[in-house]
Amino acid sequence: MSTVSTEAPPGAGRTDGPRRPHAPKRRGPRRDKQWPAYVFLTPWMLGAAVLTLVPMAVSLYLSFTDYNLFEAPSWVGLRNYREMLTEDPRYWRSVGTTLLYVVVAVPLKLVLALGAALLLKSLGRGRSFYRSAFYAPSLLGASMTVALVWRALFNDGGTVPDVLGAIGIDSGGWVGNPDLAVFAVVLLTVWQFGAPMVIFLAGLQQISPDLYEAAALDGAGRWRQFVSVTVPMLSPVVFFNLVLEMIQSFQVFTPAFAISGGSGGPADSTMFYTLYLYERGFTASHMGYAAAMAWLLLIAIGVVTLFLFRTSRSWVFYADEEGR
């Protein structure tokens, strides 16, 4: 009669033997659900590549060529850049005019926008109406129609010279005066203070009233409250508006084109950088030269923006950094 052995096989029950490798972890459900995001991002990525990255690459190539829009571009290396920086006095006049415009227009626009935002914050009734009224020029000011109307206001026989003459200031037409023409463009830009004003107003509404009450208890007046409370707490918004306005001001085109009639006159006093770029590229058909100008403008804006970000560490206050 056969018996069934109950002896355990060798190695059974031991725990010191080699372990079976763990099975690979499965991807979580979140990763499996990420593909719709890439599907929806595909049109944007294609648009960025086709409408931005590829044109930028072509522009960079053309900046090293002699290209007149009608013939195939021919490689000239750094000739466009060398001519621009050492042989073209009109280029440097356009740089000087643009820098003057930026230095004057940007601070005036931001100061006016902040002042209007402070007034709107103190209003009770009618705030929505005045906010819309102040914002309207920002929607209309960039149009060619408004720029042409502005030209008529500051031209010989226009409203502004007549009003100034009535109070004893004989300035004549600003548009035809090389010393005043650029300031007509500056005033048109400053008049469009609505966009930064709305941003300033939103920032002011985020400042806690407790800070003003504490400052008042310490004996601070309105000016001291503005300097010690409003300005530090609003500094991130000031920085944001400053960066945006600086970038936009370096690229100003429509007002200068309309007020000068596209010539940059009188005596190149309104020959802004982008207007000269347009003239060299589309009027003189020197597209390679214009592409080189565009890339130098891009580099200049990048340098100025980087400088603002670097210096912001010393004057921009963020509430979440308190106590660090």
Side-chain angles (χ1 to χ4, degrees):
M1 181 176 179
S2 63
T3 59
V4 179
S5 175
T6 59
E7 183 179 357
R14 295 181 182 179
T15 58
D16 54 350
R19 298 181 178 178
R20 298 175 60 184
H22 294 286
K25 295 182 179 180
R26 296 181 179 179
R27 292 185 301 172
R30 292 185 179 180
R31 291 188 177 182
D32 295 336
K33 294 181 180 180
Q34 285 180 353
W35 66 268
Y38 294 104
V39 172
F40 284 107
L41 285 173
T42 299
W44 179 88
M45 291 187 290
L46 290 176
V50 175
L51 301 178
T52 302
L53 298 180
V54 172
M56 287 182 64
V58 173
S59 173
L60 181 60
Y61 167 74
L62 291 177
S63 69
F64 297 101
T65 65
D66 183 12
Y67 180 48
N68 60 7
L69 292 175
F70 303 103
E71 300 175 357
S74 59
W75 184 266
V76 295
L78 296 175
R79 190 183 74 182
N80 290 327
Y81 294 93
R82 184 171 58 252
E83 178 184 350
M84 187 189 316
L85 298 176
T86 61
E87 303 174 11
D88 190 354
R90 295 191 73 199
Y91 171 81
W92 288 109
R93 280 199 295 271
S94 70
V95 172
T97 301
T98 303
L99 289 177
L100 174 63
Y101 167 82
V102 172
V103 170
V104 176
V106 172
L108 286 178
K109 186 175 183 179
L110 293 182
V111 169
L112 185 59
L114 179 57
L118 290 170
L119 289 176
L120 287 178
K121 183 187 176 184
S122 62
L123 287 179
R125 301 175 58 183
R127 178 186 300 179
S128 299
F129 169 77
Y130 287 107
R131 181 176 57 193
S132 301
F134 289 155
Y135 186 75
S138 295
L139 299 176
L140 304 175
S143 66
M144 181 64 72
T145 303
V146 173
L148 291 175
V149 172
W150 201 266
R151 171 187 170 91
L153 290 175
F154 285 86
N155 211 343
D156 291 329
T159 303
V160 173
D162 290 347
V163 171
L164 293 177
I167 60 177
I169 302 176
D170 188 12
S171 63
W174 291 32
V175 175
N177 190 334
D179 297 327
L180 297 177
V182 66
F183 295 102
V185 183
V186 169
L187 291 179
L188 176 56
T189 300
V190 174
W191 177 63
Q192 305 169 39
F193 65 89
M197 178 207 68
V198 171
I199 300 174
F200 277 135
L201 182 59
L204 289 171
Q205 292 173 344
Q206 298 300 317
I207 301 177
S208 174
D210 296 339
L211 297 175
Y212 293 104
E213 293 177 3
L217 291 175
D218 290 338
R222 289 186 177 274
W223 174 251
R224 174 53 61 184
Q225 292 179 23
F226 174 77
V227 173
S228 300
V229 178
T230 304
V231 173
M233 298 302 297
L234 202 63
S235 58
V237 181
V238 174
F239 174 67
F240 177 79
N241 276 331
L242 178 61
V243 171
L244 288 186
E245 294 301 327
M246 289 285 289
I247 294 175
Q248 293 175 4
S249 296
F250 274 108
Q251 302 176 73
V252 62
F253 174 79
T254 302
F257 183 89
I259 290 178
S260 68
S263 64
D268 286 345
S269 59
T270 57
M271 181 59 75
F272 288 84
Y273 194 98
T274 52
L275 182 58
Y276 188 49
L277 189 156
Y278 171 83
E279 178 184 297
R280 291 305 301 263
F282 294 96
T283 302
S285 297
H286 293 165
M287 189 57 67
Y289 192 93
M293 287 186 63
W295 274 97
L296 284 187
L297 177 61
L298 176 63
I299 294 172
I301 292 176
V303 170
V304 171
T305 305
L306 179 62
F307 173 77
L308 292 176
F309 272 91
R310 291 289 187 181
T311 57
S312 66
R313 300 174 181 177
S314 60
W315 62 274
V316 178
F317 170 79
Y318 295 98
D320 57 355
E321 294 181 351
E322 186 176 359
R324 290 185 180 181

